[in-house]
Amino acid sequence: MNKEYLNDLFSRIADVTVCVVGDVCLDIYWHADMKKSVLSRETPHFPLPVTEERYSLGGGGNVMANVSALGVKAVLPVSVLGADWRGYLARECFKNISANAAGLITDETRVTPCYAKPLRQGISDVVYEDPRLDFENRSPLTERTENEILAALDKAAARADAIAVSDQLEYGVVTPRIREMLCELGKTMPVIVDSRDRIALYDNVIIKPNEFEAAGALGGGFSDPAAAAKALSAKTGAPVIVTLGDKGAVWCEGKNAVFVRSTPAEPPVDPVGAGDTFLAAFAAAYAAGAAGPEAVEFANLAAGVTVKKIGTTGTATESEILQLTIKN
Ligand SMILES: Nc1ncnc2c1ncn2[C@@H]1O[C@H](COP(=O)(O)OP(=O)(O)OP(=O)(O)O)[C@@H](O)[C@H]1O
Ligand SMILES: [Mg+2]
């Protein structure tokens, strides 16, 4: 993918609107400097003195941040936040990305999903991660909120050139009714879906499993990703992408599967969030008119940028993607 092609693609991406449906999660990093810790008088513990706190959008929110970083005309998030402190902080994070907040619904009965990571550092430079504190919903959305999401999705879909879906949480924003609407929308516009556990429930949309999720969606027994992609495409009636970690991805349309190689990033790498960046970049490029294999190649490049961002999910910008292309 040469520089001229990328420049042209970015100028077209600047004209597209991408709707992102998924759970906005808050990723928290609390850095504790244990050199400052003094034994507690009340308990036999050394407290974690937090000297730095970082907050960023995770889950579907990370896909939204990634779409925004690519410089699209508009990001239209469709999600639900709680009326809690985490919802407040997530909304603050949205101020750093250009996204239209109209589809961010507040429901005071919901928990804003959040993953808080305490990180300890002592005398050496090594950072140790303590067990994470997870906040998640344990029950489905109310029908009232679900109706609000359906209405927000209807509005956003009418304006969008593509819809990216992050269906990751058991009691998340993508309920069976919302999934049904997404499958219906997939018949008339590009809808691209990522889901660890529910990819098998989609039809008429472009699904983007990794090779293990693809095999799982077929009931196991598929070791060849191209064969898995073809079998899934026959089932969904739409193109399929199977991502292959540092090897790239397979794009399959009808009976045709092509392997789109990526350049493995030099270690150290942090693959957390690579799938989110891939989904965001593919959706933006495909919405901008790139053909499937080209949009996959572009997504490989964007994800290749974020796997180099250690200890954070991260986003990829135009200049970072161009720099990586020149390097490779
Ligand atoms: N080490 C790497 N070097 C370069 N690119 C990578 C590397 N790992 C992943 N990628 C890119 O990220 C994409 C998605 O990676 P992968 O197949 O691991 O997805 P995933 O398992 O869904 O990831 P996630 O853990 O984010 O859910 C790959 O198709 C590739 O483009
Ligand atoms: Mg994934």
Side-chain angles (χ1 to χ4, degrees):
M1 191 156 269
N2 64 34
K3 200 164 167 269
E4 287 66 39
Y5 180 89
L6 281 172
N7 282 333
D8 178 57
L9 180 56
F10 273 110
S11 72
R12 284 183 286 137
I13 284 177
D15 265 336
V16 303
T17 296
V18 180
C19 165
V20 183
V21 183
D23 292 283
V24 169
C25 304
L26 181 71
D27 281 342
I28 299 185
Y29 306 90
W30 283 317
H31 292 265
D33 181 354
M34 297 310 290
K35 297 195 295 300
K36 294 186 167 45
S37 188
V38 178
L39 183 63
S40 156
R41 282 177 183 274
E42 297 83 13
T43 63
H45 296 301
F46 279 92
L48 274 64
V50 177
T51 52
E52 190 197 337
E53 42 186 324
R54 289 187 290 125
Y55 304 96
S56 58
L57 294 169
N62 187 37
V63 180
M64 295 162 197
N66 269 277
V67 171
S68 167
L70 293 168
V72 297
K73 185 165 83 183
V75 187
L76 307 178
V78 174
S79 195
V80 176
L81 294 167
D84 44 26
W85 58 272
R86 298 174 304 283
Y88 168 79
L89 289 169
R91 282 186 185 278
E92 286 295 300
C93 292
F94 269 101
K95 291 183 183 164
N96 302 328
I97 70 167
S98 42
N100 180 320
L104 289 178
I105 295 152
T106 302
D107 178 341
E108 61 287 347
T109 69
R110 302 295 286 175
V111 165
T112 305
C114 168
Y115 305 97
K117 293 164 197 157
L119 302 158
R120 297 178 191 232
Q121 199 173 335
I123 291 164
S124 82
D125 285 343
V126 185
V127 175
Y128 293 86
E129 198 171 320
D130 269 15
R132 232 171 46 191
L133 285 85
D134 291 0
F135 301 78
E136 275 184 22
N137 289 290
R138 313 279 167 202
S139 60
L141 286 169
T142 61
E143 202 180 321
R144 189 167 147 237
T145 301
E146 201 182 31
N147 287 338
E148 278 187 62
I149 300 167
L150 287 169
L153 175 56
D154 192 47
K155 265 198 194 150
R159 281 185 56 196
D161 299 297
I163 303 177
V165 181
S166 170
D167 176 0
Q168 305 294 13
L169 301 184
E170 185 180 1
Y171 295 114
V173 54
V174 186
T175 62
R177 275 172 76 206
I178 289 155
R179 198 172 295 118
E180 195 183 320
M181 179 167 175
L182 289 165
C183 293
E184 202 48 44
L185 286 164
K187 293 177 184 167
T188 56
M189 68 186 292
V191 177
I192 307 103
V193 178
D194 192 14
S195 177
R196 232 160 268 150
D197 302 319
R198 287 171 291 279
I199 207 77
L201 304 181
Y202 287 88
D203 281 319
N204 310 313
V205 301
I206 302 176
I207 55 170
K208 181 211 110 359
N210 65 25
E211 49 195 317
F212 310 105
E213 293 156 356
L218 292 161
F222 271 83
S223 55
D224 173 19
K230 283 183 199 172
L232 282 172
S233 179
K235 183 175 110 47
T236 58
V240 170
I241 302 161
V242 177
T243 63
L244 309 167
D246 68 355
K247 294 190 283 303
V250 168
W251 164 262
C252 174
E253 195 163 7
K255 291 194 167 68
N256 249 341
V258 287
F259 179 41
V260 188
R261 204 175 292 278
S262 71
T263 308
E266 299 267 335
V269 296
D270 178 357
V272 177
D276 291 343
T277 304
F278 188 105
L279 170 65
F282 177 85
Y286 201 65
E294 277 75 32
V296 168
E297 197 175 344
F298 177 72
N300 277 340
L301 282 172
V305 168
T306 52
V307 294
K308 287 299 294 170
K309 299 194 175 174
I310 313 296
T312 171
T313 48
T315 58
T317 62
E318 175 172 356
S319 65
E320 289 171 321
I321 291 171
L322 286 170
Q323 236 170 16
L324 184 70
T325 324
I326 295 161
K327 223 179 90 198
N328 293 336

